[in-house]
Tab-separated table of all heavy atoms in Angstrom:
chain	number	residue	atom	x	y	z
A	1403	TYR	N	-1.139	-7.057	2.317
A	1403	TYR	CA	-0.743	-6.137	3.391
A	1403	TYR	C	0.171	-5.043	2.863
A	1403	TYR	O	-0.251	-4.201	2.119
A	1403	TYR	CB	-0.173	-6.900	4.594
A	1403	TYR	CG	-1.186	-7.836	5.242
A	1403	TYR	CD1	-0.971	-9.181	5.370
A	1403	TYR	CD2	-2.405	-7.338	5.713
A	1403	TYR	CE1	-1.889	-10.023	5.964
A	1403	TYR	CE2	-3.337	-8.169	6.307
A	1403	TYR	CZ	-3.071	-9.520	6.441
A	1403	TYR	OH	-3.998	-10.345	7.025
A	1404	CYS	N	1.435	-5.060	3.192
A	1404	CYS	CA	2.175	-3.838	3.019
A	1404	CYS	C	2.635	-3.572	1.580
A	1404	CYS	O	2.556	-4.435	0.716
A	1404	CYS	CB	3.345	-3.755	3.972
A	1404	CYS	SG	4.823	-4.641	3.455
A	1405	GLY	N	3.167	-2.383	1.367
A	1405	GLY	CA	3.595	-1.924	0.039
A	1405	GLY	C	4.827	-2.627	-0.526
A	1405	GLY	O	5.207	-2.337	-1.651
A	1434	LYS	N	3.090	-11.933	8.717
A	1434	LYS	CA	1.700	-11.612	8.296
A	1434	LYS	C	1.361	-12.312	6.964
A	1434	LYS	O	0.270	-12.866	6.836
A	1434	LYS	CB	1.524	-10.097	8.157
A	1434	LYS	CG	1.615	-9.342	9.473
A	1434	LYS	CD	1.362	-7.856	9.307
A	1434	LYS	CE	2.298	-7.108	8.423
A	1434	LYS	NZ	3.715	-7.203	8.778
A	1519	CYS	N	-1.370	8.945	4.706
A	1519	CYS	CA	-0.249	8.022	4.517
A	1519	CYS	C	0.754	8.560	3.477
A	1519	CYS	O	1.937	8.749	3.824
A	1519	CYS	CB	-0.856	6.711	4.053
A	1519	CYS	SG	0.239	5.335	3.871
A	1520	MET	N	0.334	8.829	2.253
A	1520	MET	CA	1.266	9.137	1.195
A	1520	MET	C	1.149	10.552	0.685
A	1520	MET	O	1.936	10.927	-0.197
A	1520	MET	CB	1.028	8.226	-0.018
A	1520	MET	CG	1.039	6.754	0.248
A	1520	MET	SD	2.431	6.105	1.193
A	1520	MET	CE	3.824	6.862	0.436
A	1552	VAL	N	14.810	6.718	7.294
A	1552	VAL	CA	14.399	7.861	8.096
A	1552	VAL	C	12.900	7.826	8.269
A	1552	VAL	O	12.129	7.722	7.311
A	1552	VAL	CB	14.902	9.199	7.494
A	1552	VAL	CG1	14.687	9.312	6.033
A	1552	VAL	CG2	14.309	10.398	8.194
A	1553	GLY	N	12.486	7.825	9.570
A	1553	GLY	CA	11.041	7.735	9.850
A	1553	GLY	C	10.419	6.464	9.336
A	1553	GLY	O	9.280	6.474	8.928
A	1554	SER	N	11.209	5.404	9.326
A	1554	SER	CA	10.696	4.085	8.854
A	1554	SER	C	11.136	3.015	9.809
A	1554	SER	O	12.331	2.947	10.123
A	1554	SER	CB	11.262	3.828	7.449
A	1554	SER	OG	11.322	2.415	7.248
A	1555	ASN	N	10.204	2.230	10.271
A	1555	ASN	CA	10.574	1.054	11.079
A	1555	ASN	C	10.403	-0.196	10.205
A	1555	ASN	O	9.622	-1.082	10.483
A	1555	ASN	CB	9.687	0.982	12.312
A	1555	ASN	CG	10.094	-0.172	13.225
A	1555	ASN	OD1	11.158	-0.767	13.062
A	1555	ASN	ND2	9.221	-0.485	14.169
A	1556	ALA	N	11.143	-0.191	9.101
A	1556	ALA	CA	10.922	-1.231	8.063
A	1556	ALA	C	11.063	-2.647	8.613
A	1556	ALA	O	10.428	-3.565	8.074
A	1556	ALA	CB	11.913	-1.001	6.905
A	1558	TRP	N	9.759	-3.921	10.965
A	1558	TRP	CA	8.412	-4.364	11.346
A	1558	TRP	C	7.371	-4.043	10.322
A	1558	TRP	O	6.309	-4.695	10.268
A	1558	TRP	CB	8.026	-3.717	12.694
A	1558	TRP	CG	8.663	-4.418	13.873
A	1558	TRP	CD1	9.684	-5.324	13.846
A	1558	TRP	CD2	8.309	-4.259	15.267
A	1558	TRP	NE1	9.989	-5.723	15.110
A	1558	TRP	CE2	9.178	-5.078	15.983
A	1558	TRP	CE3	7.356	-3.485	15.925
A	1558	TRP	CZ2	9.106	-5.159	17.397
A	1558	TRP	CZ3	7.289	-3.548	17.297
A	1558	TRP	CH2	8.167	-4.396	18.035
A	1559	THR	N	7.597	-2.988	9.516
A	1559	THR	CA	6.510	-2.526	8.642
A	1559	THR	C	6.730	-2.885	7.188
A	1559	THR	O	5.768	-2.905	6.419
A	1559	THR	CB	6.341	-1.005	8.756
A	1559	THR	OG1	7.604	-0.404	8.486
A	1559	THR	CG2	5.856	-0.606	10.140
A	1560	HIS	N	7.966	-3.096	6.802
A	1560	HIS	CA	8.274	-3.581	5.436
A	1560	HIS	C	9.286	-4.717	5.604
A	1560	HIS	O	10.406	-4.640	5.106
A	1560	HIS	CB	8.830	-2.452	4.554
A	1560	HIS	CG	7.826	-1.363	4.291
A	1560	HIS	ND1	7.735	-0.225	5.037
A	1560	HIS	CD2	6.882	-1.249	3.344
A	1560	HIS	CE1	6.732	0.544	4.584
A	1560	HIS	NE2	6.200	-0.047	3.554
A	1561	PRO	N	8.864	-5.759	6.310
A	1561	PRO	CA	9.837	-6.767	6.800
A	1561	PRO	C	10.613	-7.429	5.688
A	1561	PRO	O	11.820	-7.682	5.843
A	1561	PRO	CB	8.979	-7.798	7.528
A	1561	PRO	CG	7.713	-7.087	7.838
A	1561	PRO	CD	7.487	-6.071	6.762
A	1582	ILE	N	17.249	7.034	11.309
A	1582	ILE	CA	16.934	8.341	11.867
A	1582	ILE	C	15.493	8.266	12.390
A	1582	ILE	O	14.550	8.204	11.588
A	1582	ILE	CB	17.082	9.441	10.799
A	1582	ILE	CG1	18.461	9.382	10.158
A	1582	ILE	CG2	16.777	10.819	11.414
A	1582	ILE	CD1	18.696	10.387	9.039
A	1583	ASP	N	15.358	8.184	13.665
A	1583	ASP	CA	14.051	7.954	14.287
A	1583	ASP	C	14.165	8.342	15.751
A	1583	ASP	O	15.167	7.976	16.388
A	1583	ASP	CB	13.698	6.449	14.156
A	1583	ASP	CG	12.243	6.123	14.499
A	1583	ASP	OD1	11.757	6.598	15.567
A	1583	ASP	OD2	11.594	5.412	13.750
A	1584	PRO	N	13.198	9.079	16.284
A	1584	PRO	CA	13.303	9.444	17.701
A	1584	PRO	C	13.433	8.204	18.608
A	1584	PRO	O	14.003	8.283	19.677
A	1584	PRO	CB	11.953	10.149	17.989
A	1584	PRO	CG	11.406	10.515	16.659
A	1584	PRO	CD	11.989	9.597	15.647
A	1585	ARG	N	12.860	7.088	18.121
A	1585	ARG	CA	12.940	5.850	18.912
A	1585	ARG	C	14.056	4.992	18.359
A	1585	ARG	O	14.298	4.934	17.162
A	1585	ARG	CB	11.661	5.029	18.777
A	1585	ARG	CG	10.396	5.705	19.188
A	1585	ARG	CD	9.259	4.729	19.158
A	1585	ARG	NE	9.016	4.175	17.843
A	1585	ARG	CZ	8.545	2.948	17.613
A	1585	ARG	NH1	8.302	2.133	18.636
A	1585	ARG	NH2	8.307	2.528	16.400
A	1587	THR	N	14.379	1.627	17.263
A	1587	THR	CA	13.405	0.566	16.969
A	1587	THR	C	14.156	-0.712	16.536
A	1587	THR	O	15.384	-0.721	16.461
A	1587	THR	CB	12.525	0.976	15.768
A	1587	THR	OG1	13.377	1.104	14.617
A	1587	THR	CG2	11.812	2.292	16.009
A	1599	LEU	N	16.723	11.680	16.752
A	1599	LEU	CA	16.467	13.115	16.608
A	1599	LEU	C	15.188	13.538	17.348
A	1599	LEU	O	14.296	12.713	17.608
A	1599	LEU	CB	16.384	13.530	15.143
A	1599	LEU	CG	15.069	13.374	14.367
A	1599	LEU	CD1	15.192	14.014	13.011
A	1599	LEU	CD2	14.620	11.928	14.271
A	1600	ARG	N	15.093	14.798	17.599
A	1600	ARG	CA	13.884	15.354	18.163
A	1600	ARG	C	12.750	15.212	17.135
A	1600	ARG	O	12.953	15.514	15.941
A	1600	ARG	CB	14.137	16.828	18.466
A	1600	ARG	CG	12.918	17.591	18.834
A	1600	ARG	CD	13.230	19.049	18.959
A	1600	ARG	NE	12.008	19.801	18.705
A	1600	ARG	CZ	11.955	21.095	18.613
A	1600	ARG	NH1	13.045	21.836	18.751
A	1600	ARG	NH2	10.804	21.695	18.392
A	1601	PRO	N	11.573	14.766	17.534
A	1601	PRO	CA	10.488	14.607	16.557
A	1601	PRO	C	10.210	15.884	15.794
A	1601	PRO	O	10.226	16.968	16.334
A	1601	PRO	CB	9.289	14.253	17.448
A	1601	PRO	CG	9.877	13.703	18.696
A	1601	PRO	CD	11.189	14.398	18.883
A	1602	GLY	N	10.005	15.738	14.502
A	1602	GLY	CA	9.642	16.875	13.672
A	1602	GLY	C	10.829	17.728	13.255
A	1602	GLY	O	10.632	18.785	12.657
A	1603	SER	N	12.053	17.284	13.541
A	1603	SER	CA	13.208	18.113	13.208
A	1603	SER	C	13.911	17.602	11.925
A	1603	SER	O	15.033	18.036	11.648
A	1603	SER	CB	14.198	18.182	14.366
A	1603	SER	OG	14.763	16.914	14.629
A	1604	ASP	N	13.263	16.761	11.178
A	1604	ASP	CA	13.876	16.206	9.968
A	1604	ASP	C	14.234	17.270	8.933
A	1604	ASP	O	15.221	17.178	8.215
A	1604	ASP	CB	12.973	15.164	9.313
A	1604	ASP	CG	12.627	14.048	10.276
A	1604	ASP	OD1	11.675	14.266	11.088
A	1604	ASP	OD2	13.267	12.994	10.280
A	1676	CYS	N	9.304	6.778	5.451
A	1676	CYS	CA	7.913	6.378	5.520
A	1676	CYS	C	7.171	7.361	6.451
A	1676	CYS	O	7.386	8.563	6.343
A	1676	CYS	CB	7.810	4.901	5.958
A	1676	CYS	SG	6.298	4.115	5.347
A	1677	MET	N	6.376	6.875	7.409
A	1677	MET	CA	5.429	7.754	8.090
A	1677	MET	C	6.083	8.757	9.060
A	1677	MET	O	5.469	9.751	9.402
A	1677	MET	CB	4.388	6.934	8.824
A	1677	MET	CG	3.434	6.216	7.876
A	1677	MET	SD	2.715	7.316	6.665
A	1677	MET	CE	3.333	6.591	5.176
A	1678	GLY	N	7.290	8.463	9.516
A	1678	GLY	CA	7.959	9.451	10.394
A	1678	GLY	C	8.179	10.741	9.673
A	1678	GLY	O	8.267	11.826	10.273
A	1679	ILE	N	8.249	10.700	8.340
A	1679	ILE	CA	8.422	11.890	7.544
A	1679	ILE	C	7.070	12.432	7.050
A	1679	ILE	O	6.760	13.631	7.187
A	1679	ILE	CB	9.319	11.597	6.298
A	1679	ILE	CG1	10.753	11.320	6.778
A	1679	ILE	CG2	9.279	12.725	5.266
A	1679	ILE	CD1	11.464	12.508	7.384
A	1681	GLN	N	3.849	11.848	8.049
A	1681	GLN	CA	2.767	12.194	9.006
A	1681	GLN	C	3.221	13.332	9.930
A	1681	GLN	O	3.314	13.155	11.145
A	1681	GLN	CB	2.368	10.973	9.839
A	1681	GLN	CG	1.590	9.950	8.996
A	1681	GLN	CD	1.339	8.679	9.739
A	1681	GLN	OE1	1.986	8.384	10.739
A	1681	GLN	NE2	0.388	7.889	9.251
A	1682	SER	N	3.477	14.460	9.322
A	1682	SER	CA	3.997	15.578	10.082
A	1682	SER	C	3.342	16.853	9.516
A	1682	SER	O	2.985	16.895	8.349
A	1682	SER	CB	5.522	15.597	9.927
A	1682	SER	OG	5.993	16.924	9.987
A	1688	HIS	N	9.422	18.249	4.519
A	1688	HIS	CA	10.411	17.272	4.895
A	1688	HIS	C	10.720	16.327	3.716
A	1688	HIS	O	11.879	15.938	3.502
A	1688	HIS	CB	9.920	16.457	6.108
A	1688	HIS	CG	9.862	17.244	7.363
A	1688	HIS	ND1	9.414	16.747	8.557
A	1688	HIS	CD2	10.197	18.554	7.637
A	1688	HIS	CE1	9.483	17.670	9.506
A	1688	HIS	NE2	9.948	18.779	8.944
A	1713	THR	N	5.836	2.969	0.142
A	1713	THR	CA	4.392	3.072	0.290
A	1713	THR	C	3.915	2.137	1.364
A	1713	THR	O	4.519	1.071	1.577
A	1713	THR	CB	3.665	2.735	-1.044
A	1713	THR	OG1	4.074	1.465	-1.515
A	1713	THR	CG2	3.934	3.795	-2.082
A	1714	GLY	N	2.862	2.493	2.031
A	1714	GLY	CA	2.373	1.705	3.162
A	1714	GLY	C	1.514	0.541	2.717
A	1714	GLY	O	1.805	-0.620	2.979
A	1715	GLN	N	0.420	0.869	2.039
A	1715	GLN	CA	-0.567	-0.152	1.714
A	1715	GLN	C	-0.228	-0.844	0.419
A	1715	GLN	O	0.545	-0.321	-0.420
A	1715	GLN	CB	-1.962	0.502	1.632
A	1715	GLN	CG	-2.381	1.169	2.931
A	1715	GLN	CD	-3.673	1.911	2.770
A	1715	GLN	OE1	-4.748	1.333	2.979
A	1715	GLN	NE2	-3.623	3.163	2.393
A	1958	GLU	N	9.114	21.417	13.149
A	1958	GLU	CA	7.718	21.292	13.551
A	1958	GLU	C	7.672	21.334	15.077
A	1958	GLU	O	8.410	20.621	15.730
A	1958	GLU	CB	7.184	19.966	13.047
A	1958	GLU	CG	5.697	19.862	13.125
A	1958	GLU	CD	5.190	18.448	13.052
A	1958	GLU	OE1	5.926	17.552	12.605
A	1958	GLU	OE2	4.067	18.226	13.498
A	1970	ASN	N	3.765	9.738	20.132
A	1970	ASN	CA	4.052	9.267	18.776
A	1970	ASN	C	3.179	7.999	18.653
A	1970	ASN	O	2.800	7.386	19.637
A	1970	ASN	CB	5.555	8.931	18.817
A	1970	ASN	CG	6.123	8.289	17.609
A	1970	ASN	OD1	5.471	8.001	16.630
A	1970	ASN	ND2	7.444	8.049	17.661
A	1971	SER	N	2.846	7.634	17.406
A	1971	SER	CA	2.063	6.412	17.240
A	1971	SER	C	2.487	5.702	15.960
A	1971	SER	O	3.019	6.342	15.073
A	1971	SER	CB	0.554	6.747	17.170
A	1971	SER	OG	0.304	7.544	16.043
A	1972	GLY	N	2.232	4.426	15.883
A	1972	GLY	CA	2.642	3.694	14.691
A	1972	GLY	C	2.292	2.237	14.801
A	1972	GLY	O	1.316	1.862	15.446
A	1973	ARG	N	3.192	1.406	14.219
A	1973	ARG	CA	2.798	0.019	14.017
A	1973	ARG	C	3.612	-0.988	14.841
A	1973	ARG	O	4.724	-0.716	15.236
A	1973	ARG	CB	2.988	-0.322	12.540
A	1973	ARG	CG	1.914	0.352	11.717
A	1973	ARG	CD	2.368	0.792	10.358
A	1973	ARG	NE	1.227	1.333	9.641
A	1973	ARG	CZ	0.880	2.646	9.767
A	1973	ARG	NH1	1.603	3.478	10.504
A	1973	ARG	NH2	-0.176	3.112	9.156
A	1974	ILE	N	3.000	-2.133	15.018
A	1974	ILE	CA	3.745	-3.274	15.578
A	1974	ILE	C	3.910	-4.352	14.494
A	1974	ILE	O	3.244	-4.295	13.479
A	1974	ILE	CB	3.110	-3.815	16.866
A	1974	ILE	CG1	1.707	-4.343	16.589
A	1974	ILE	CG2	3.108	-2.755	17.940
A	1974	ILE	CD1	1.087	-5.082	17.770
A	1975	ARG	N	4.759	-5.311	14.766
A	1975	ARG	CA	5.193	-6.246	13.746
A	1975	ARG	C	4.080	-7.086	13.172
A	1975	ARG	O	4.003	-7.255	11.963
A	1975	ARG	CB	6.252	-7.165	14.397
A	1975	ARG	CG	7.136	-7.898	13.461
A	1975	ARG	CD	8.017	-8.863	14.248
A	1975	ARG	NE	7.246	-10.002	14.714
A	1975	ARG	CZ	7.733	-10.872	15.610
A	1975	ARG	NH1	8.913	-10.732	16.119
A	1975	ARG	NH2	6.996	-11.885	15.997
A	1976	ASP	N	3.200	-7.623	14.045
A	1976	ASP	CA	2.317	-8.653	13.564
A	1976	ASP	C	0.864	-8.231	13.332
A	1976	ASP	O	0.002	-9.039	13.016
A	1976	ASP	CB	2.325	-9.867	14.548
A	1976	ASP	CG	3.657	-10.572	14.605
A	1976	ASP	OD1	4.568	-10.150	13.862
A	1976	ASP	OD2	3.827	-11.513	15.382
A	1977	GLN	N	0.557	-6.943	13.585
A	1977	GLN	CA	-0.816	-6.491	13.355
A	1977	GLN	C	-0.907	-5.580	12.163
A	1977	GLN	O	0.057	-4.882	11.817
A	1977	GLN	CB	-1.367	-5.757	14.579
A	1977	GLN	CG	-1.652	-6.671	15.763
A	1977	GLN	CD	-2.669	-7.744	15.437
A	1977	GLN	OE1	-3.558	-7.576	14.598
A	1977	GLN	NE2	-2.497	-8.877	16.074
A	1978	TRP	N	-2.062	-5.554	11.547
A	1978	TRP	CA	-2.352	-4.693	10.418
A	1978	TRP	C	-3.443	-3.734	10.790
A	1978	TRP	O	-4.586	-4.124	11.063
A	1978	TRP	CB	-2.773	-5.543	9.199
A	1978	TRP	CG	-3.095	-4.689	7.985
A	1978	TRP	CD1	-4.320	-4.314	7.534
A	1978	TRP	CD2	-2.136	-4.075	7.115
A	1978	TRP	NE1	-4.182	-3.515	6.434
A	1978	TRP	CE2	-2.866	-3.339	6.152
A	1978	TRP	CE3	-0.740	-4.060	7.032
A	1978	TRP	CZ2	-2.257	-2.617	5.133
A	1978	TRP	CZ3	-0.132	-3.355	6.015
A	1978	TRP	CH2	-0.896	-2.645	5.070
A	1979	HIS	N	-3.069	-2.446	10.873
A	1979	HIS	CA	-4.014	-1.348	11.093
A	1979	HIS	C	-5.081	-1.635	12.117
A	1979	HIS	O	-4.745	-1.899	13.271
A	1979	HIS	CB	-4.676	-0.925	9.751
A	1979	HIS	CG	-3.703	-0.407	8.802
A	1979	HIS	ND1	-3.910	-0.301	7.453
A	1979	HIS	CD2	-2.468	0.089	8.980
A	1979	HIS	CE1	-2.867	0.192	6.849
A	1979	HIS	NE2	-1.954	0.420	7.732
A	2042	PHE	N	5.171	6.317	22.962
A	2042	PHE	CA	4.791	5.687	21.673
A	2042	PHE	C	3.661	4.702	21.940
A	2042	PHE	O	3.720	3.907	22.886
A	2042	PHE	CB	5.979	4.916	21.063
A	2042	PHE	CG	5.605	4.203	19.796
A	2042	PHE	CD1	5.592	4.874	18.580
A	2042	PHE	CD2	5.223	2.858	19.813
A	2042	PHE	CE1	5.220	4.231	17.405
A	2042	PHE	CE2	4.866	2.195	18.639
A	2042	PHE	CZ	4.857	2.866	17.440
A	2045	MET	N	-1.034	2.030	16.842
A	2045	MET	CA	-2.274	2.621	16.315
A	2045	MET	C	-3.407	1.589	16.242
A	2045	MET	O	-4.531	1.944	15.900
A	2045	MET	CB	-2.017	3.128	14.878
A	2045	MET	CG	-1.692	1.983	13.926
A	2045	MET	SD	-1.665	2.446	12.186
A	2045	MET	CE	-3.412	2.659	11.834
A	2046	HIS	N	-3.139	0.320	16.548
A	2046	HIS	CA	-4.058	-0.736	16.071
A	2046	HIS	C	-5.314	-0.916	16.911
A	2046	HIS	O	-6.377	-1.155	16.348
A	2046	HIS	CB	-3.304	-2.077	16.064
A	2046	HIS	CG	-2.038	-2.012	15.287
A	2046	HIS	ND1	-2.031	-1.914	13.908
A	2046	HIS	CD2	-0.737	-1.969	15.662
A	2046	HIS	CE1	-0.755	-1.857	13.471
A	2046	HIS	NE2	0.034	-1.892	14.514
A	2075	LYS	N	1.923	11.625	14.098
A	2075	LYS	CA	3.041	11.198	14.966
A	2075	LYS	C	3.221	12.096	16.186
A	2075	LYS	O	4.080	11.820	17.028
A	2075	LYS	CB	4.345	11.167	14.154
A	2075	LYS	CG	4.345	10.104	13.038
A	2075	LYS	CD	4.531	8.689	13.588
A	2075	LYS	CE	4.608	7.622	12.520
A	2075	LYS	NZ	3.351	6.878	12.405
A	2076	GLN	N	2.496	13.202	16.265
A	2076	GLN	CA	2.768	14.123	17.367
A	2076	GLN	C	1.484	14.679	17.982
A	2076	GLN	O	0.794	15.479	17.391
A	2076	GLN	CB	3.560	15.316	16.847
A	2076	GLN	CG	4.971	14.942	16.403
A	2076	GLN	CD	5.818	16.169	16.181
A	2076	GLN	OE1	5.796	17.112	16.955
A	2076	GLN	NE2	6.583	16.159	15.114
B	2965	MGD	N1	3.182	-4.725	10.629
B	2965	MGD	C1	2.630	-3.770	9.893
B	2965	MGD	N2	3.245	-3.346	8.777
B	2965	MGD	C2	2.676	-2.334	8.067
B	2965	MGD	C3	1.409	-1.760	8.415
B	2965	MGD	C4	0.788	-2.254	9.586
B	2965	MGD	O1	-0.313	-1.829	9.949
B	2965	MGD	N3	1.400	-3.257	10.268
B	2965	MGD	N4	0.909	-0.723	7.715
B	2965	MGD	C5	1.495	-0.365	6.420
B	2965	MGD	C6	1.238	1.056	6.165
B	2965	MGD	S1	-0.240	1.540	5.514
B	2965	MGD	C7	2.183	2.022	6.331
B	2965	MGD	S2	1.828	3.630	5.996
B	2965	MGD	C8	3.558	1.655	6.762
B	2965	MGD	C9	4.118	2.568	7.820
B	2965	MGD	O2	5.440	2.133	8.079
B	2965	MGD	P1	6.403	2.988	9.021
B	2965	MGD	O3	6.332	4.399	8.704
B	2965	MGD	O4	7.728	2.345	8.997
B	2965	MGD	O5	5.743	2.706	10.456
B	2965	MGD	P2	5.269	3.620	11.687
B	2965	MGD	O6	5.380	2.735	12.870
B	2965	MGD	O7	3.972	4.236	11.393
B	2965	MGD	O8	6.302	4.812	11.832
B	2965	MGD	C10	7.655	4.738	11.494
B	2965	MGD	C11	8.554	5.441	12.453
B	2965	MGD	O9	8.475	6.846	12.396
B	2965	MGD	C12	9.039	7.306	13.594
B	2965	MGD	N5	8.845	8.749	13.778
B	2965	MGD	C13	7.886	9.402	14.467
B	2965	MGD	N6	8.084	10.724	14.404
B	2965	MGD	C14	9.201	10.938	13.674
B	2965	MGD	C15	9.919	12.100	13.278
B	2965	MGD	O10	9.550	13.247	13.559
B	2965	MGD	N7	11.026	11.927	12.477
B	2965	MGD	C16	11.465	10.680	12.134
B	2965	MGD	N8	12.555	10.604	11.381
B	2965	MGD	N9	10.812	9.570	12.542
B	2965	MGD	C17	9.691	9.695	13.286
B	2965	MGD	C18	8.335	6.442	14.607
B	2965	MGD	O11	9.034	6.448	15.850
B	2965	MGD	C19	8.305	5.096	13.917
B	2965	MGD	O12	9.310	4.235	14.387
B	2965	MGD	O13	3.558	0.349	7.252
B	2965	MGD	C20	2.994	-0.611	6.398
B	2965	MGD	N10	3.324	-1.909	6.940
Side-chain angles (χ1 to χ4, degrees):
Y1403 296 122
C1404 82
K1434 293 183 297 304
C1519 186
M1520 306 311 314
V1552 48
S1554 153
N1555 183 13
W1558 282 13
T1559 54
H1560 294 94
I1582 306 178
D1583 191 311
R1585 303 187 298 149
T1587 65
L1599 84 173
R1600 169 186 155 186
S1603 66
D1604 303 82
C1676 207
M1677 291 308 118
I1679 291 295
Q1681 288 173 343
S1682 148
H1688 291 178
T1713 54
Q1715 299 175 90
E1958 193 198 341
N1970 175 358
S1971 64
R1973 287 147 178 86
I1974 62 172
R1975 198 186 73 191
D1976 294 359
Q1977 288 302 329
W1978 179 259
H1979 296 161
F2042 177 84
M2045 65 170 287
H2046 307 289
K2075 295 284 183 257
Q2076 293 193 42

